[in-house]
């Protein structure tokens, strides 16, 4: 597995503002993923981020709302733009490692509350 | 597209009792199956996975799961639970054809009572 950290661990934000979430991995990984977990719900994939290419977004998620950067093989950011209370969720990043690309390992998550 | 059904949203059990958390997935030629656990205020931890081979998979913390292709199921079991097993459990599936995308079930909240 890998050690995955996320910053911030939690935040309370005002509507209309933006928050950038960082995901750091202690080893180089090819695939990084960003998920949203709304209160009391399961995880929904937002986008897949490969280093050196544009992120691939799932249906219902757009780049203007959730811009993603992937500047190198150990780091990615997700920005939640122009936030509304409906964006209150846990945001998690995950990675696949080495030859075991089928298995995803998750970070601790960022707990976001939008007022 | 794949889908995952976790039939029980909540499962209360007493300590040292056996437990089974049910998971069914939509049919596909080949799939990879996973169980993750989420303790309160934490991220997801991989419990076990089925990629191929033996249909009985053993994971961490004494959990095991059995892949049943004919019933498209991947139920999670533990013969004797502890208070510390109280958590949310998620079943997930990805296509065995090379897509890394995971589809999650809605989760089962396991509560172990003394």
């Amino acid at each position: 597995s890998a050690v995955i950290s996320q910053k911030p661990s939690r935040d309370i934000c005002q509507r209309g503002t933006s928050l950038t979430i960082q995901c750091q991995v202690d080893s180089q990984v090819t695939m990084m993923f960003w998920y949203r977990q709304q209160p009391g719900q399961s995880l929904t994939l937002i986008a897949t981020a490969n280093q050196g290419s544009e992120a691939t977004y799932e249906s219902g998620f757009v780049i203007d709302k959730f811009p993603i950067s992937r500047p190198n093989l150990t780091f990615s950011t997700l920005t939640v733009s122009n936030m509304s209370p409906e964006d209150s969720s846990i945001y998690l990043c995950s990675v696949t490692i080495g030859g075991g690309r089928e298995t995803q390992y998750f970070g601790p998550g960022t707990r976001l509350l939008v007022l | 597209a794949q889908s995952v059904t976790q039939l029980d949203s909540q499962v209360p059990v007493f300590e040292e009792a056996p437990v089974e958390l049910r998971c069914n997935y939509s049919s596909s030629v080949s799939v990879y199956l996973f169980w993750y656990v989420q303790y309160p205020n934490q991220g997801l931890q991989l419990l076990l996975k089925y990629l191929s081979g033996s249909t009985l998979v053993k994971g961490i913390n004494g959990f095991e799961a059995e892949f049943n292709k004919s019933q498209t199921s991947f139920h999670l079991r533990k013969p004797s639970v502890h208070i510390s097993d109280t958590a949310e459990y998620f079943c997930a599936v990805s296509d065995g054809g090379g897509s890394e995308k995971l589809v999650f079930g809605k989760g089962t909240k396991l509560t172990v009572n003394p």
Side-chain angles (χ1 to χ4, degrees):
Chain A
S1 63
V3 177
I4 306 166
S5 60
Q6 287 186 233
K7 290 181 180 179
S9 59
R10 60 180 66 239
D11 207 342
I12 301 174
C13 300
Q14 298 297 319
R15 69 171 67 210
T17 63
S18 297
L19 176 72
T20 295
I21 301 168
Q22 299 178 5
C23 179
Q24 179 77 51
V25 191
D26 69 343
S27 57
Q28 295 184 341
V29 298
T30 304
M31 307 286 286
M32 296 183 80
F33 306 83
W34 286 98
Y35 288 84
R36 180 176 72 182
Q37 185 179 20
Q38 294 178 300
Q41 302 296 314
S42 186
L43 282 77
T44 302
L45 180 64
I46 298 172
T48 303
N50 289 334
Q51 192 268 335
S53 62
E54 295 289 327
T56 302
Y57 289 82
E58 296 300 304
S59 175
F61 297 96
V62 295
I63 188 171
D64 289 345
K65 176 66 175 177
F66 297 101
I68 288 171
S69 77
R70 180 80 200 273
N72 57 52
L73 292 174
T74 63
F75 187 78
S76 178
T77 67
L78 169 76
T79 298
V80 186
S81 302
N82 188 24
M83 288 183 286
S84 67
E86 291 71 34
D87 294 318
S88 297
S89 296
I90 302 173
Y91 292 87
L92 300 105
C93 70
S94 72
V95 304
T96 56
I97 301 168
R101 292 179 61 178
E102 70 289 329
T103 304
Q104 292 185 27
Y105 298 91
F106 285 80
T110 294
R111 285 151 180 79
L112 172 61
L113 176 63
V114 183
L115 302 176
Chain B
Q2 285 284 357
S3 66
V4 179
T5 302
Q6 291 184 244
L7 294 166
D8 305 301
S9 59
Q10 298 189 52
V11 174
V13 295
F14 287 108
E15 194 173 18
E16 299 184 3
V19 70
E20 178 180 82
L21 307 183
R22 296 179 292 171
C23 173
N24 289 87
Y25 62 94
S26 56
S27 178
S28 178
V29 175
S30 64
V31 292
Y32 296 145
L33 293 156
F34 306 84
W35 276 99
Y36 288 87
V37 59
Q38 186 176 37
Y39 298 103
N41 298 313
Q42 295 187 28
L44 270 69
Q45 181 180 3
L46 180 67
L47 265 181
L48 48 79
K49 61 184 177 182
Y50 171 80
L51 305 180
S52 65
S54 173
T55 57
L56 183 62
V57 179
K58 293 188 183 299
I60 61 171
N61 302 339
F63 284 93
E64 64 181 31
E66 185 158 17
F67 170 59
N68 189 317
K69 187 174 182 178
S70 63
Q71 297 185 6
T72 60
S73 69
F74 190 56
H75 300 333
L76 181 71
R77 302 186 183 98
K78 186 171 183 177
S80 176
V81 293
H82 302 290
I83 299 284
S84 59
D85 292 322
T86 294
E88 189 93 26
Y89 291 79
F90 292 96
C91 180
V93 62
S94 67
D95 285 323
S99 168
E100 290 87 2
K101 293 182 183 180
L102 278 179
V103 175
F104 283 85
K106 292 184 180 297
T108 297
K109 171 65 175 173
L110 174 65
T111 302
V112 181
N113 298 301

mmCIF file of all heavy atoms in Angstrom, chain B residues 19-64:
data_model
loop_
_atom_site.group_PDB
_atom_site.id
_atom_site.type_symbol
_atom_site.label_atom_id
_atom_site.label_comp_id
_atom_site.label_asym_id
_atom_site.label_seq_id
_atom_site.Cartn_x
_atom_site.Cartn_y
_atom_site.Cartn_z
ATOM 1 N N VAL B 19 -21.512 -12.518 11.900
ATOM 2 C CA VAL B 19 -22.191 -11.519 11.088
ATOM 3 C C VAL B 19 -21.946 -11.793 9.606
ATOM 4 O O VAL B 19 -20.889 -12.321 9.226
ATOM 5 C CB VAL B 19 -21.725 -10.090 11.445
ATOM 6 C CG1 VAL B 19 -20.293 -9.849 10.985
ATOM 7 C CG2 VAL B 19 -22.657 -9.049 10.843
ATOM 8 N N GLU B 20 -22.950 -11.473 8.805
ATOM 9 C CA GLU B 20 -22.812 -11.527 7.349
ATOM 10 C C GLU B 20 -23.368 -10.231 6.782
ATOM 11 O O GLU B 20 -24.507 -9.866 7.050
ATOM 12 C CB GLU B 20 -23.553 -12.722 6.762
ATOM 13 C CG GLU B 20 -23.466 -12.765 5.227
ATOM 14 C CD GLU B 20 -24.205 -13.945 4.620
ATOM 15 O OE1 GLU B 20 -25.438 -13.849 4.459
ATOM 16 O OE2 GLU B 20 -23.544 -14.958 4.294
ATOM 17 N N LEU B 21 -22.566 -9.556 5.987
ATOM 18 C CA LEU B 21 -23.000 -8.354 5.280
ATOM 19 C C LEU B 21 -23.116 -8.714 3.808
ATOM 20 O O LEU B 21 -22.149 -9.169 3.206
ATOM 21 C CB LEU B 21 -21.995 -7.215 5.490
ATOM 22 C CG LEU B 21 -21.643 -6.878 6.942
ATOM 23 C CD1 LEU B 21 -20.698 -5.682 6.984
ATOM 24 C CD2 LEU B 21 -22.882 -6.622 7.765
ATOM 25 N N ARG B 22 -24.295 -8.445 3.250
ATOM 26 C CA ARG B 22 -24.574 -8.933 1.919
ATOM 27 C C ARG B 22 -24.251 -7.910 0.832
ATOM 28 O O ARG B 22 -24.467 -6.698 1.021
ATOM 29 C CB ARG B 22 -26.040 -9.350 1.815
ATOM 30 C CG ARG B 22 -26.384 -10.535 2.724
ATOM 31 C CD ARG B 22 -27.835 -10.905 2.606
ATOM 32 N NE ARG B 22 -28.716 -9.870 3.163
ATOM 33 C CZ ARG B 22 -30.032 -9.890 3.028
ATOM 34 N NH1 ARG B 22 -30.631 -10.861 2.334
ATOM 35 N NH2 ARG B 22 -30.769 -8.946 3.576
ATOM 36 N N CYS B 23 -23.763 -8.428 -0.293
ATOM 37 C CA CYS B 23 -23.425 -7.593 -1.436
ATOM 38 C C CYS B 23 -23.729 -8.357 -2.711
ATOM 39 O O CYS B 23 -23.278 -9.497 -2.882
ATOM 40 C CB CYS B 23 -21.946 -7.208 -1.398
ATOM 41 S SG CYS B 23 -21.362 -6.345 -2.873
ATOM 42 N N ASN B 24 -24.488 -7.734 -3.589
ATOM 43 C CA ASN B 24 -24.745 -8.289 -4.921
ATOM 44 C C ASN B 24 -24.342 -7.264 -5.968
ATOM 45 O O ASN B 24 -24.481 -6.065 -5.761
ATOM 46 C CB ASN B 24 -26.221 -8.655 -5.083
ATOM 47 C CG ASN B 24 -26.603 -9.871 -4.269
ATOM 48 O OD1 ASN B 24 -26.961 -9.751 -3.098
ATOM 49 N ND2 ASN B 24 -26.508 -11.031 -4.883
ATOM 50 N N TYR B 25 -23.854 -7.733 -7.084
ATOM 51 C CA TYR B 25 -23.424 -6.838 -8.159
ATOM 52 C C TYR B 25 -24.115 -7.242 -9.452
ATOM 53 O O TYR B 25 -24.632 -8.343 -9.590
ATOM 54 C CB TYR B 25 -21.904 -6.894 -8.318
ATOM 55 C CG TYR B 25 -21.376 -8.256 -8.705
ATOM 56 C CD1 TYR B 25 -21.158 -8.594 -10.028
ATOM 57 C CD2 TYR B 25 -21.116 -9.216 -7.722
ATOM 58 C CE1 TYR B 25 -20.703 -9.843 -10.385
ATOM 59 C CE2 TYR B 25 -20.654 -10.472 -8.078
ATOM 60 C CZ TYR B 25 -20.455 -10.789 -9.399
ATOM 61 O OH TYR B 25 -20.018 -12.038 -9.735
ATOM 62 N N SER B 26 -24.136 -6.317 -10.385
ATOM 63 C CA SER B 26 -24.748 -6.618 -11.674
ATOM 64 C C SER B 26 -23.797 -7.489 -12.468
ATOM 65 O O SER B 26 -22.588 -7.437 -12.299
ATOM 66 C CB SER B 26 -25.060 -5.324 -12.445
ATOM 67 O OG SER B 26 -23.899 -4.553 -12.589
ATOM 68 N N SER B 27 -24.347 -8.283 -13.312
ATOM 69 C CA SER B 27 -23.576 -9.302 -14.001
ATOM 70 C C SER B 27 -22.579 -8.688 -14.981
ATOM 71 O O SER B 27 -22.807 -7.640 -15.556
ATOM 72 C CB SER B 27 -24.527 -10.234 -14.753
ATOM 73 O OG SER B 27 -23.800 -11.202 -15.466
ATOM 74 N N SER B 28 -21.449 -9.342 -15.114
ATOM 75 C CA SER B 28 -20.449 -8.927 -16.086
ATOM 76 C C SER B 28 -19.607 -10.145 -16.425
ATOM 77 O O SER B 28 -19.636 -11.147 -15.727
ATOM 78 C CB SER B 28 -19.572 -7.818 -15.529
ATOM 79 O OG SER B 28 -18.585 -7.455 -16.462
ATOM 80 N N VAL B 29 -18.869 -10.046 -17.487
ATOM 81 C CA VAL B 29 -18.022 -11.174 -17.881
ATOM 82 C C VAL B 29 -16.984 -11.451 -16.801
ATOM 83 O O VAL B 29 -16.778 -12.577 -16.384
ATOM 84 C CB VAL B 29 -17.332 -10.894 -19.226
ATOM 85 C CG1 VAL B 29 -16.368 -12.015 -19.552
ATOM 86 C CG2 VAL B 29 -18.375 -10.722 -20.322
ATOM 87 N N SER B 30 -16.338 -10.416 -16.365
ATOM 88 C CA SER B 30 -15.379 -10.585 -15.274
ATOM 89 C C SER B 30 -15.385 -9.329 -14.428
ATOM 90 O O SER B 30 -15.588 -8.228 -14.940
ATOM 91 C CB SER B 30 -13.974 -10.851 -15.821
ATOM 92 O OG SER B 30 -13.499 -9.743 -16.543
ATOM 93 N N VAL B 31 -15.180 -9.510 -13.148
ATOM 94 C CA VAL B 31 -15.202 -8.376 -12.231
ATOM 95 C C VAL B 31 -14.123 -8.536 -11.179
ATOM 96 O O VAL B 31 -13.645 -9.633 -10.913
ATOM 97 C CB VAL B 31 -16.569 -8.241 -11.513
ATOM 98 C CG1 VAL B 31 -17.658 -7.851 -12.479
ATOM 99 C CG2 VAL B 31 -16.930 -9.526 -10.766
ATOM 100 N N TYR B 32 -13.747 -7.415 -10.625
ATOM 101 C CA TYR B 32 -12.944 -7.395 -9.410
ATOM 102 C C TYR B 32 -13.873 -6.890 -8.303
ATOM 103 O O TYR B 32 -14.636 -5.954 -8.499
ATOM 104 C CB TYR B 32 -11.750 -6.456 -9.545
ATOM 105 C CG TYR B 32 -10.739 -6.844 -10.596
ATOM 106 C CD1 TYR B 32 -10.062 -5.870 -11.323
ATOM 107 C CD2 TYR B 32 -10.430 -8.175 -10.860
ATOM 108 C CE1 TYR B 32 -9.112 -6.204 -12.281
ATOM 109 C CE2 TYR B 32 -9.493 -8.520 -11.814
ATOM 110 C CZ TYR B 32 -8.836 -7.536 -12.523
ATOM 111 O OH TYR B 32 -7.906 -7.872 -13.476
ATOM 112 N N LEU B 33 -13.776 -7.509 -7.126
ATOM 113 C CA LEU B 33 -14.677 -7.168 -6.035
ATOM 114 C C LEU B 33 -13.893 -6.801 -4.791
ATOM 115 O O LEU B 33 -12.851 -7.405 -4.503
ATOM 116 C CB LEU B 33 -15.600 -8.358 -5.739
ATOM 117 C CG LEU B 33 -16.588 -8.678 -6.867
ATOM 118 C CD1 LEU B 33 -17.016 -10.122 -6.805
ATOM 119 C CD2 LEU B 33 -17.796 -7.766 -6.796
ATOM 120 N N PHE B 34 -14.396 -5.838 -4.046
ATOM 121 C CA PHE B 34 -13.686 -5.294 -2.902
ATOM 122 C C PHE B 34 -14.664 -5.041 -1.748
ATOM 123 O O PHE B 34 -15.831 -4.724 -1.963
ATOM 124 C CB PHE B 34 -13.021 -3.959 -3.260
ATOM 125 C CG PHE B 34 -12.131 -4.012 -4.465
ATOM 126 C CD1 PHE B 34 -12.659 -3.880 -5.746
ATOM 127 C CD2 PHE B 34 -10.774 -4.192 -4.321
ATOM 128 C CE1 PHE B 34 -11.844 -3.934 -6.864
ATOM 129 C CE2 PHE B 34 -9.944 -4.243 -5.433
ATOM 130 C CZ PHE B 34 -10.480 -4.114 -6.699
ATOM 131 N N TRP B 35 -14.136 -5.172 -0.545
ATOM 132 C CA TRP B 35 -14.804 -4.668 0.638
ATOM 133 C C TRP B 35 -13.869 -3.674 1.323
ATOM 134 O O TRP B 35 -12.700 -3.960 1.556
ATOM 135 C CB TRP B 35 -15.138 -5.787 1.624
ATOM 136 C CG TRP B 35 -16.421 -6.511 1.325
ATOM 137 C CD1 TRP B 35 -16.566 -7.699 0.681
ATOM 138 C CD2 TRP B 35 -17.745 -6.096 1.684
ATOM 139 N NE1 TRP B 35 -17.893 -8.045 0.597
ATOM 140 C CE2 TRP B 35 -18.639 -7.084 1.221
ATOM 141 C CE3 TRP B 35 -18.272 -4.988 2.368
ATOM 142 C CZ2 TRP B 35 -20.017 -6.996 1.406
ATOM 143 C CZ3 TRP B 35 -19.634 -4.907 2.556
ATOM 144 C CH2 TRP B 35 -20.490 -5.902 2.072
ATOM 145 N N TYR B 36 -14.439 -2.494 1.613
ATOM 146 C CA TYR B 36 -13.721 -1.471 2.356
ATOM 147 C C TYR B 36 -14.468 -1.205 3.662
ATOM 148 O O TYR B 36 -15.691 -1.329 3.738
ATOM 149 C CB TYR B 36 -13.659 -0.158 1.573
ATOM 150 C CG TYR B 36 -12.734 -0.170 0.374
ATOM 151 C CD1 TYR B 36 -13.181 -0.594 -0.874
ATOM 152 C CD2 TYR B 36 -11.421 0.273 0.492
ATOM 153 C CE1 TYR B 36 -12.337 -0.577 -1.974
ATOM 154 C CE2 TYR B 36 -10.574 0.289 -0.606
ATOM 155 C CZ TYR B 36 -11.035 -0.138 -1.829
ATOM 156 O OH TYR B 36 -10.196 -0.122 -2.914
ATOM 157 N N VAL B 37 -13.715 -0.757 4.681
ATOM 158 C CA VAL B 37 -14.311 -0.383 5.952
ATOM 159 C C VAL B 37 -13.969 1.075 6.231
ATOM 160 O O VAL B 37 -12.862 1.540 5.926
ATOM 161 C CB VAL B 37 -13.825 -1.296 7.102
ATOM 162 C CG1 VAL B 37 -12.316 -1.255 7.256
ATOM 163 C CG2 VAL B 37 -14.498 -0.929 8.415
ATOM 164 N N GLN B 38 -14.953 1.786 6.768
ATOM 165 C CA GLN B 38 -14.746 3.186 7.130
ATOM 166 C C GLN B 38 -15.113 3.363 8.592
ATOM 167 O O GLN B 38 -16.300 3.301 8.953
ATOM 168 C CB GLN B 38 -15.592 4.109 6.247
ATOM 169 C CG GLN B 38 -15.327 5.587 6.476
ATOM 170 C CD GLN B 38 -16.105 6.472 5.520
ATOM 171 O OE1 GLN B 38 -17.240 6.185 5.170
ATOM 172 N NE2 GLN B 38 -15.500 7.573 5.085
ATOM 173 N N TYR B 39 -14.098 3.564 9.427
ATOM 174 C CA TYR B 39 -14.350 3.847 10.832
ATOM 175 C C TYR B 39 -14.763 5.309 10.982
ATOM 176 O O TYR B 39 -14.444 6.135 10.122
ATOM 177 C CB TYR B 39 -13.115 3.522 11.663
ATOM 178 C CG TYR B 39 -12.736 2.059 11.607
ATOM 179 C CD1 TYR B 39 -11.670 1.621 10.820
ATOM 180 C CD2 TYR B 39 -13.461 1.104 12.312
ATOM 181 C CE1 TYR B 39 -11.336 0.284 10.739
ATOM 182 C CE2 TYR B 39 -13.133 -0.246 12.240
ATOM 183 C CZ TYR B 39 -12.077 -0.637 11.450
ATOM 184 O OH TYR B 39 -11.760 -1.979 11.369
ATOM 185 N N PRO B 40 -15.440 5.653 12.049
ATOM 186 C CA PRO B 40 -15.928 7.030 12.217
ATOM 187 C C PRO B 40 -14.831 8.065 12.016
ATOM 188 O O PRO B 40 -13.736 7.935 12.571
ATOM 189 C CB PRO B 40 -16.460 7.020 13.650
ATOM 190 C CG PRO B 40 -16.873 5.602 13.891
ATOM 191 C CD PRO B 40 -15.872 4.772 13.147
ATOM 192 N N ASN B 41 -15.126 9.041 11.200
ATOM 193 C CA ASN B 41 -14.222 10.169 10.935
ATOM 194 C C ASN B 41 -12.882 9.745 10.318
ATOM 195 O O ASN B 41 -11.866 10.407 10.531
ATOM 196 C CB ASN B 41 -13.966 10.964 12.216
ATOM 197 C CG ASN B 41 -15.244 11.569 12.750
ATOM 198 O OD1 ASN B 41 -16.017 12.161 11.996
ATOM 199 N ND2 ASN B 41 -15.494 11.390 14.031
ATOM 200 N N GLN B 42 -12.899 8.652 9.585
ATOM 201 C CA GLN B 42 -11.685 8.197 8.912
ATOM 202 C C GLN B 42 -11.956 7.927 7.437
ATOM 203 O O GLN B 42 -13.112 7.950 6.991
ATOM 204 C CB GLN B 42 -11.130 6.939 9.591
ATOM 205 C CG GLN B 42 -10.663 7.164 11.018
ATOM 206 C CD GLN B 42 -9.966 5.948 11.583
ATOM 207 O OE1 GLN B 42 -9.381 5.148 10.857
ATOM 208 N NE2 GLN B 42 -10.011 5.810 12.899
ATOM 209 N N GLY B 43 -10.886 7.683 6.693
ATOM 210 C CA GLY B 43 -11.027 7.319 5.289
ATOM 211 C C GLY B 43 -11.364 5.851 5.146
ATOM 212 O O GLY B 43 -11.715 5.175 6.119
ATOM 213 N N LEU B 44 -11.266 5.339 3.938
ATOM 214 C CA LEU B 44 -11.583 3.940 3.669
ATOM 215 C C LEU B 44 -10.342 3.070 3.764
ATOM 216 O O LEU B 44 -9.278 3.421 3.250
ATOM 217 C CB LEU B 44 -12.186 3.789 2.268
ATOM 218 C CG LEU B 44 -13.694 3.904 2.174
ATOM 219 C CD1 LEU B 44 -14.136 5.312 2.463
ATOM 220 C CD2 LEU B 44 -14.182 3.459 0.803
ATOM 221 N N GLN B 45 -10.507 1.922 4.375
ATOM 222 C CA GLN B 45 -9.426 0.950 4.501
ATOM 223 C C GLN B 45 -9.829 -0.326 3.776
ATOM 224 O O GLN B 45 -10.947 -0.824 3.951
ATOM 225 C CB GLN B 45 -9.153 0.652 5.979
ATOM 226 C CG GLN B 45 -8.032 -0.337 6.225
ATOM 227 C CD GLN B 45 -7.806 -0.598 7.700
ATOM 228 O OE1 GLN B 45 -8.519 -0.096 8.559
ATOM 229 N NE2 GLN B 45 -6.794 -1.393 8.014
ATOM 230 N N LEU B 46 -8.926 -0.862 2.970
ATOM 231 C CA LEU B 46 -9.227 -2.079 2.233
ATOM 232 C C LEU B 46 -9.265 -3.271 3.188
ATOM 233 O O LEU B 46 -8.311 -3.531 3.908
ATOM 234 C CB LEU B 46 -8.166 -2.310 1.157
ATOM 235 C CG LEU B 46 -8.326 -3.555 0.294
ATOM 236 C CD1 LEU B 46 -9.577 -3.441 -0.583
ATOM 237 C CD2 LEU B 46 -7.093 -3.775 -0.580
ATOM 238 N N LEU B 47 -10.393 -3.995 3.187
ATOM 239 C CA LEU B 47 -10.534 -5.195 4.010
ATOM 240 C C LEU B 47 -10.055 -6.435 3.266
ATOM 241 O O LEU B 47 -9.303 -7.239 3.802
ATOM 242 C CB LEU B 47 -12.008 -5.412 4.366
ATOM 243 C CG LEU B 47 -12.556 -4.881 5.682
ATOM 244 C CD1 LEU B 47 -14.030 -5.250 5.791
ATOM 245 C CD2 LEU B 47 -11.789 -5.413 6.868
ATOM 246 N N LEU B 48 -10.543 -6.591 2.054
ATOM 247 C CA LEU B 48 -10.164 -7.734 1.230
ATOM 248 C C LEU B 48 -10.609 -7.478 -0.205
ATOM 249 O O LEU B 48 -11.356 -6.547 -0.474
ATOM 250 C CB LEU B 48 -10.794 -9.029 1.765
ATOM 251 C CG LEU B 48 -12.289 -9.036 2.104
ATOM 252 C CD1 LEU B 48 -13.150 -9.162 0.870
ATOM 253 C CD2 LEU B 48 -12.616 -10.169 3.076
ATOM 254 N N LYS B 49 -10.114 -8.349 -1.084
ATOM 255 C CA LYS B 49 -10.453 -8.202 -2.497
ATOM 256 C C LYS B 49 -10.465 -9.557 -3.176
ATOM 257 O O LYS B 49 -9.741 -10.485 -2.762
ATOM 258 C CB LYS B 49 -9.455 -7.271 -3.197
ATOM 259 C CG LYS B 49 -8.023 -7.781 -3.162
ATOM 260 C CD LYS B 49 -7.069 -6.765 -3.801
ATOM 261 C CE LYS B 49 -5.623 -7.253 -3.695
ATOM 262 N NZ LYS B 49 -4.666 -6.263 -4.275
ATOM 263 N N TYR B 50 -11.275 -9.663 -4.210
ATOM 264 C CA TYR B 50 -11.280 -10.822 -5.082
ATOM 265 C C TYR B 50 -10.904 -10.356 -6.484
ATOM 266 O O TYR B 50 -11.578 -9.499 -7.063
ATOM 267 C CB TYR B 50 -12.647 -11.508 -5.121
ATOM 268 C CG TYR B 50 -12.696 -12.571 -6.182
ATOM 269 C CD1 TYR B 50 -12.150 -13.825 -5.953
ATOM 270 C CD2 TYR B 50 -13.233 -12.308 -7.440
ATOM 271 C CE1 TYR B 50 -12.149 -14.800 -6.941
ATOM 272 C CE2 TYR B 50 -13.243 -13.278 -8.432
ATOM 273 C CZ TYR B 50 -12.690 -14.507 -8.177
ATOM 274 O OH TYR B 50 -12.679 -15.466 -9.162
ATOM 275 N N LEU B 51 -9.823 -10.938 -7.008
ATOM 276 C CA LEU B 51 -9.405 -10.636 -8.374
ATOM 277 C C LEU B 51 -9.584 -11.856 -9.269
ATOM 278 O O LEU B 51 -10.050 -11.751 -10.407
ATOM 279 C CB LEU B 51 -7.952 -10.171 -8.390
ATOM 280 C CG LEU B 51 -7.612 -8.979 -7.469
ATOM 281 C CD1 LEU B 51 -6.139 -8.624 -7.571
ATOM 282 C CD2 LEU B 51 -8.478 -7.772 -7.813
ATOM 283 N N SER B 52 -9.160 -13.017 -8.754
ATOM 284 C CA SER B 52 -9.282 -14.269 -9.488
ATOM 285 C C SER B 52 -8.904 -15.390 -8.527
ATOM 286 O O SER B 52 -8.513 -15.149 -7.383
ATOM 287 C CB SER B 52 -8.377 -14.289 -10.722
ATOM 288 O OG SER B 52 -7.012 -14.248 -10.330
ATOM 289 N N GLY B 53 -9.043 -16.629 -8.993
ATOM 290 C CA GLY B 53 -8.590 -17.763 -8.197
ATOM 291 C C GLY B 53 -9.626 -18.226 -7.195
ATOM 292 O O GLY B 53 -10.822 -18.248 -7.490
ATOM 293 N N SER B 54 -9.171 -18.590 -6.008
ATOM 294 C CA SER B 54 -10.054 -19.137 -4.983
ATOM 295 C C SER B 54 -11.207 -18.183 -4.695
ATOM 296 O O SER B 54 -11.014 -16.974 -4.532
ATOM 297 C CB SER B 54 -9.276 -19.392 -3.694
ATOM 298 O OG SER B 54 -10.151 -19.773 -2.648
ATOM 299 N N THR B 55 -12.403 -18.756 -4.602
ATOM 300 C CA THR B 55 -13.581 -17.913 -4.389
ATOM 301 C C THR B 55 -13.717 -17.462 -2.942
ATOM 302 O O THR B 55 -14.500 -16.558 -2.656
ATOM 303 C CB THR B 55 -14.852 -18.658 -4.813
ATOM 304 O OG1 THR B 55 -14.940 -19.886 -4.069
ATOM 305 C CG2 THR B 55 -14.828 -18.958 -6.305
ATOM 306 N N LEU B 56 -12.997 -18.104 -2.039
ATOM 307 C CA LEU B 56 -13.026 -17.687 -0.632
ATOM 308 C C LEU B 56 -11.800 -16.808 -0.374
ATOM 309 O O LEU B 56 -10.670 -17.261 -0.506
ATOM 310 C CB LEU B 56 -13.023 -18.901 0.290
ATOM 311 C CG LEU B 56 -13.114 -18.581 1.787
ATOM 312 C CD1 LEU B 56 -14.420 -17.878 2.114
ATOM 313 C CD2 LEU B 56 -12.966 -19.853 2.613
ATOM 314 N N VAL B 57 -12.076 -15.587 0.014
ATOM 315 C CA VAL B 57 -11.006 -14.616 0.195
ATOM 316 C C VAL B 57 -10.934 -14.230 1.668
ATOM 317 O O VAL B 57 -11.955 -13.902 2.270
ATOM 318 C CB VAL B 57 -11.270 -13.351 -0.649
ATOM 319 C CG1 VAL B 57 -10.157 -12.345 -0.438
ATOM 320 C CG2 VAL B 57 -11.399 -13.715 -2.119
ATOM 321 N N LYS B 58 -9.740 -14.248 2.204
ATOM 322 C CA LYS B 58 -9.553 -13.854 3.599
ATOM 323 C C LYS B 58 -8.920 -12.469 3.642
ATOM 324 O O LYS B 58 -8.018 -12.151 2.850
ATOM 325 C CB LYS B 58 -8.686 -14.873 4.329
ATOM 326 C CG LYS B 58 -9.375 -16.229 4.483
ATOM 327 C CD LYS B 58 -8.586 -17.161 5.357
ATOM 328 C CE LYS B 58 -9.256 -18.541 5.437
ATOM 329 N NZ LYS B 58 -10.619 -18.458 6.030
ATOM 330 N N GLY B 59 -9.394 -11.652 4.578
ATOM 331 C CA GLY B 59 -8.878 -10.310 4.694
ATOM 332 C C GLY B 59 -8.340 -10.013 6.074
ATOM 333 O O GLY B 59 -8.064 -10.915 6.865
ATOM 334 N N ILE B 60 -8.255 -8.729 6.369
ATOM 335 C CA ILE B 60 -7.726 -8.331 7.668
ATOM 336 C C ILE B 60 -8.808 -8.408 8.738
ATOM 337 O O ILE B 60 -9.999 -8.481 8.419
ATOM 338 C CB ILE B 60 -7.151 -6.897 7.606
ATOM 339 C CG1 ILE B 60 -8.246 -5.886 7.232
ATOM 340 C CG2 ILE B 60 -5.999 -6.828 6.613
ATOM 341 C CD1 ILE B 60 -7.807 -4.442 7.352
ATOM 342 N N ASN B 61 -8.378 -8.398 9.973
ATOM 343 C CA ASN B 61 -9.294 -8.357 11.120
ATOM 344 C C ASN B 61 -10.255 -9.543 11.188
ATOM 345 O O ASN B 61 -11.329 -9.435 11.782
ATOM 346 C CB ASN B 61 -10.100 -7.048 11.131
ATOM 347 C CG ASN B 61 -9.215 -5.819 11.185
ATOM 348 O OD1 ASN B 61 -8.058 -5.880 11.599
ATOM 349 N ND2 ASN B 61 -9.745 -4.697 10.749
ATOM 350 N N GLY B 62 -9.874 -10.677 10.607
ATOM 351 C CA GLY B 62 -10.687 -11.880 10.705
ATOM 352 C C GLY B 62 -11.863 -11.955 9.753
ATOM 353 O O GLY B 62 -12.690 -12.873 9.841
ATOM 354 N N PHE B 63 -11.970 -11.019 8.828
ATOM 355 C CA PHE B 63 -13.063 -11.030 7.852
ATOM 356 C C PHE B 63 -12.724 -11.932 6.668
ATOM 357 O O PHE B 63 -11.569 -12.096 6.315
ATOM 358 C CB PHE B 63 -13.349 -9.623 7.349
ATOM 359 C CG PHE B 63 -14.116 -8.772 8.328
ATOM 360 C CD1 PHE B 63 -13.445 -7.947 9.207
ATOM 361 C CD2 PHE B 63 -15.501 -8.810 8.358
ATOM 362 C CE1 PHE B 63 -14.146 -7.168 10.129
ATOM 363 C CE2 PHE B 63 -16.209 -8.033 9.259
ATOM 364 C CZ PHE B 63 -15.531 -7.210 10.152
ATOM 365 N N GLU B 64 -13.760 -12.485 6.062
ATOM 366 C CA GLU B 64 -13.618 -13.231 4.829
ATOM 367 C C GLU B 64 -14.843 -12.999 3.968
ATOM 368 O O GLU B 64 -15.889 -12.557 4.455
ATOM 369 C CB GLU B 64 -13.430 -14.729 5.094
ATOM 370 C CG GLU B 64 -14.619 -15.400 5.755
ATOM 371 C CD GLU B 64 -14.365 -16.879 6.014
ATOM 372 O OE1 GLU B 64 -13.209 -17.279 6.253
ATOM 373 O OE2 GLU B 64 -15.354 -17.641 5.974
#
